[in-house]
Amino acid sequence: MVQSDPALESRGLRPLRIAIFGFGTVGSSVARIVAECKPEGLQLTHVFNRNVARKRADWAGPSVVWSEDADAVLASDADVIVELMGGLDPAGGFIRRALEAGKSVVTANKKLIAFHGVELERLAARHGGHLKYGAAVAGGIPVIPGVEQGLAGDRIEKIEGILNGTCNFILSKMDAGAEYAPVLAEAQAKGYAEADPTEDVGGFDARAKLAILMRLAMRVEVDPDEIVPRPITEVTAVDFSYARDLGCTIRQVARAQKTNGNVAATVGPTLIDLHSPMAWSRGTENMVILSGHYGGDVVFSGHGAGGHPTAVAVVSDLVALAHGSRRVEIPSQKAKVEAEFDVPHYIRFLVNDRPGIVHEITGALARESINIRAIVQKAGYPANALPFVVTVEPCKSSALQRALASIRTMDCLLEPPLDLQMLE
Amino acid sequence: MVQSDPALESRGLRPLRIAIFGFGTVGSSVARIVAECKPEGLQLTHVFNRNVARKRADWAGPSVVWSEDADAVLASDADVIVELMGGLDPAGGFIRRALEAGKSVVTANKKLIAFHGVELERLAARHGGHLKYGAAVAGGIPVIPGVEQGLAGDRIEKIEGILNGTCNFILSKMDAGAEYAPVLAEAQAKGYAEADPTEDVGGFDARAKLAILMRLAMRVEVDPDEIVPRPITEVTAVDFSYARDLGCTIRQVARAQKTNGNVAATVGPTLIDLHSPMAWSRGTENMVILSGHYGGDVVFSGHGAGGHPTAVAVVSDLVALAHGSRRVEIPSQKAKVEAEFDVPHYIRFLVNDRPGIVHEITGALARESINIRAIVQKAGYPANALPFVVTVEPCKSSALQRALASIRTMDCLLEPPLDLQMLE
Ligand SMILES: NC(=O)c1ccc[n+]([C@@H]2O[C@H](COP(=O)([O-])OP(=O)(O)OC[C@H]3O[C@@H](n4cnc5c(N)ncnc54)[C@H](OP(=O)(O)O)[C@@H]3O)[C@@H](O)[C@H]2O)c1
Ligand SMILES: NC(=O)c1ccc[n+]([C@@H]2O[C@H](COP(=O)([O-])OP(=O)(O)OC[C@H]3O[C@@H](n4cnc5c(N)ncnc54)[C@H](OP(=O)(O)O)[C@@H]3O)[C@@H](O)[C@H]2O)c1
């Protein structure tokens, strides 16, 4: 039982009984930090996991109840459910039941928050509990607290970020010369990537985080499915080589912009200038750049994933709850992701060379009023599998896609051209 | 009068009547943002300034009372005093009186918070008000909210930062070839530097911010006067030239470290690797790197100063107050700044050349068991005013100072040698 401690209470601290749901990478790190640092006012009372016997850890403290009975833990006197199972189900159901019972919930589950955050926050408010998810975006980097508490006074107009550590690990290794398949295998061996890497490499994870940030920073509620992510699997060694010749590298970038109420958002591999902050990010690092109307650019970076960094965000949320610190919840409006970025693009072709190719491509671009910036062809490739690159001045994606639709019918193409946005 | 708004109140919002004390750069920006963005629950009701007639601004709203009578405003029904006058007096007295009256206070006054923050927080707690100072460190970059709300779950072991925009402006311009005096004049003309620049270039401003961060992130209360700052005025063009040959540049760096309860802290010009994040910072940019035991390094950067960025932090504090979001106040312990960094140093000599100089210098260093890393002497300087550099392996400052005390007696020195820490 949590002892009522008048010294704590006089400082406004409410001792909290904590139940962890899901004792995996992050869940066990949370228990580890609580056991080692003993943050005032926090007591781990329950751990729920399937087949929980495997998980039992003496260091977590003698009074912890280890349970595989979710109903019993939800019905217990725990004040806060810390959901670290992941996925929409059954995690979402447990969270709803906890909130309906007036408990507070802390979670790192970006997918659930991206799709159901608004509804869950309302549920929390209705029953007097709190929902916190500081770990859901950029793991251990305090972007969510920074936005909610420190940038609420600004009007955020643009978000750019490297929001998925797995993709950044893979692309920064490819940048240094590695091939996709062995780097993915390495990421899986190191525990950075799942057995099925689709959520990460397909851009779905970054998209969920972007949607959460858009709501908190830009105050727009978008349906994450309206942001169609581009997978990083399309990028090859030749693209890194051409990118470098253009003074760039390639990273998975998530970005959103709000201009006169119009919202644009994309996620996918993107060319970024070697001198831009995002090009600094190495390995599993995350980075977020928020551009405010009044405050200009603010950059956050650090470890976006990993058990311990993510657990820091979870424990910080718990400490804030114990201190009675409420979230700053600013109303958001529903919005459609309908606008487009007007940005330069990189288009890489792989052709069986013959006369007239550049003429046809430039013709298709000209018909859409897209201006060529540069045509680059490196030496050393065979004529029957020749990669070359066209970069174009800022244009809308839709115009470029129309041009590419006609270009794609060209007989000389060995594969569909790869078009990437270039960040300026 | 603030209308009581049931819709707001049902969401836990408490409408706040705001009185700005000091309508200068930041104060007027705060009023501007409130007027333009109309954040829910905030109403500017009073502005106090000496000779206030000069300051009156219609755009701030028709119901604002413009006053040069501090007593009257303190006695008014304003809920929050926003102190943006600066300095210890009379700002401190006004803040104390506001807190004693049960009002809350938001301030950007780093000096006051560094020296009297603990006492003022106690005063606020005793009278049921709140004290917030998110703008006091790194202006518009949400380092304080990030630390309080997002890193409370970690144990921060190291802080490194570029905390003074004026010094960064001056040093990054000198890095690009300019001389100190004209750059200082330019900084003054642009409003980045005061007529008396001592607070900034002497390191006192950065020291105050470092002391605040040490308390919030490392939970140690230090007397700022125990951190003896080194002025940037000692650095000359020749140092930038030598630094570059060593793969470095020079910035004013504030740093603190806590190892087994021992606290070290310094502020001054420092050699930093050209590939380190701090070398990216340009112009008036600020950057803070916090190293946590569990979460690793987290980097924040952006506009550390300027009316609008600083006002974003002030308005964000006000929004948080209106939302009933309490600070996460974790108890801190008094501590002495007694430990020393064990770091490599750069020592630049200016000599009238004669045989035996290097022999004498290396002897003095050897007697203190300090190992030489490199001796660098660039061509093109006259023998009678010859600058050269010795870098040494990690050593304590105290040992180096003993060696330098003996070196300083050498007859060939045209000026005392300049020793700078090198960041690794
Ligand atoms: N890992 C990171 O770096 C990171 C970073 C940011 C956010 N997150 C988020 O944090 C959450 C947890 O991630 P994680 O990496 O800790 O995952 P994990 O290592 O797979 O841990 C999940 C835990 O939940 C348990 N679990 C899953 N489904 C369950 C069910 N239906 N019933 C009972 N127990 C169940 C698992 O048990 P088994 O052992 O039986 O599978 C496992 O112990 C996810 O939402 C993730 O997106 C993770
Ligand atoms: N500017 C920045 O970029 C920045 C960044 C971070 C934090 N801050 C902090 O923010 C605070 C305000 O800075 P600021 O740049 O806005 O300064 P400022 O432009 O000099 O404004 C100060 C205002 O307070 C008034 N004032 C000063 N002393 C007064 C007194 N005794 N009685 C009545 N009015 C008085 C001044 O009136 P007069 O016009 O008559 O002098 C002026 O309007 C300081 O604590 C500063 O350290 C500033």
Side-chain angles (χ1 to χ4, degrees), chain B residues 394-414:
Chain B
C395 68
K396 298 232 158 88
S397 247
S398 52
L400 183 65
Q401 292 312 325
R402 284 192 300 272
L404 288 177
S406 109
I407 289 169
R408 261 186 221 107
T409 62
M410 288 169 62
D411 59 357
C412 61
L413 293 182
L414 300 179

Side-chain angles (χ1 to χ4, degrees), chain B residues 229-294:
Chain B
R230 297 275 300 267
I232 63 164
T233 45
E234 297 172 349
V235 177
T236 62
V238 81
D239 297 307
F240 280 99
S241 166
Y242 272 107
R244 206 152 320 118
D245 286 4
L246 295 164
C248 295
T249 183
I250 302 173
R251 290 290 186 277
Q252 188 209 47
V253 174
R255 49 204 300 250
Q257 192 168 295
K258 189 176 157 192
T259 321
N260 305 323
N262 298 315
V263 176
T266 58
V267 173
T270 303
L271 264 75
I272 54 179
D273 193 294
L274 281 174
H275 299 286
S276 80
M278 285 205 272
W280 313 327
S281 67
R282 290 276 171 283
T284 60
E285 232 180 277
N286 277 201
M287 178 173 291
V288 179
I289 307 177
L290 298 167
S291 307
H293 182 75
Y294 296 99

Side-chain angles (χ1 to χ4, degrees), chain B residues 138-152:
Chain B
I141 314 171
V143 177
I144 290 185
V147 166
E148 288 188 337
Q149 300 270 341
L151 297 175

Side-chain angles (χ1 to χ4, degrees), chain B residues 17-344:
Chain B
R17 301 170 61 89
I18 295 161
I20 295 178
F21 273 57
F23 203 74
T25 307
V26 182
S28 61
S29 284
V30 168
R32 179 70 71 177
I33 294 179
V34 170
E36 288 178 3
C37 298
K38 302 181 179 50
E40 270 192 321
L42 302 189
Q43 188 178 353
L44 180 61
T45 56
H46 298 79
V47 172
F48 160 75
N49 205 99
R50 58 189 168 204
N51 311 327
V52 78
R54 299 168 294 155
K55 303 278 182 177
R56 203 176 284 270
D58 286 344
W59 51 258
S63 59
V64 176
V65 176
W66 298 80
S67 171
E68 49 198 29
D69 182 348
D71 295 336
V73 181
L74 285 168
S76 76
D77 56 2
D79 301 300
V80 190
I81 302 300
V82 179
E83 185 280 302
L84 296 169
M85 300 162 53
L88 296 182
D89 281 310
F94 293 154
I95 289 180
R96 282 188 189 84
R97 286 169 57 195
L99 292 174
E100 280 160 4
K103 296 185 193 299
S104 289
V105 170
V106 172
T107 178
N109 193 329
K110 47 254 174 166
K111 196 170 178 182
L112 186 69
I113 296 298
F115 283 95
H116 303 289
V118 175
E119 162 216 335
L120 294 172
E121 280 177 9
R122 293 216 183 95
L123 192 63
R126 202 152 58 234
H127 295 275
H130 299 276
L131 175 67
K132 291 186 73 106
Y133 44 85
V137 175
I141 314 171
V143 177
I144 290 185
V147 166
E148 288 188 337
Q149 300 270 341
L151 297 175
D154 208 342
R155 194 187 292 153
I156 304 296
E157 295 171 338
K158 205 171 69 184
I159 300 170
E160 284 171 6
I162 291 181
L163 295 177
N164 183 275
T166 310
C167 287
N168 211 58
F169 178 82
I170 293 174
L171 292 175
S172 59
K173 285 264 177 176
M174 288 179 72
D175 195 6
E179 288 285 338
Y180 176 78
V183 183
L184 173 62
E186 183 187 347
Q188 286 167 326
K190 290 192 163 159
Y192 301 155
E194 309 279 320
D196 175 0
T198 315
E199 276 286 309
D200 290 325
V201 302
F204 301 99
D205 176 77
R207 168 176 95 168
K209 294 166 178 169
L210 181 65
I212 296 172
L213 276 186
M214 288 169 72
R215 185 157 62 84
L216 299 180
M218 294 180 167
R219 293 143 196 196
V220 289
E221 292 165 29
V222 301
D223 176 354
D225 282 332
E226 286 181 1
I227 307 167
V228 181
R230 297 275 300 267
I232 63 164
T233 45
E234 297 172 349
V235 177
T236 62
V238 81
D239 297 307
F240 280 99
S241 166
Y242 272 107
R244 206 152 320 118
D245 286 4
L246 295 164
C248 295
T249 183
I250 302 173
R251 290 290 186 277
Q252 188 209 47
V253 174
R255 49 204 300 250
Q257 192 168 295
K258 189 176 157 192
T259 321
N260 305 323
N262 298 315
V263 176
T266 58
V267 173
T270 303
L271 264 75
I272 54 179
D273 193 294
L274 281 174
H275 299 286
S276 80
M278 285 205 272
W280 313 327
S281 67
R282 290 276 171 283
T284 60
E285 232 180 277
N286 277 201
M287 178 173 291
V288 179
I289 307 177
L290 298 167
S291 307
H293 182 75
Y294 296 99
D297 285 4
V298 173
V299 183
F300 300 79
S301 74
H303 296 283
H308 274 18
T310 308
V312 164
V314 172
V315 177
S316 298
D317 277 351
L318 290 167
V319 169
L321 279 180
H323 279 74
S325 179
R326 306 177 60 131
R327 286 187 44 215
V328 175
E329 292 181 44
I330 294 182
S332 47
Q333 254 86 48
K334 278 201 200 305
K336 293 234 149 254
V337 181
E338 284 175 334
E340 291 185 66
F341 289 103
D342 220 346
V343 284

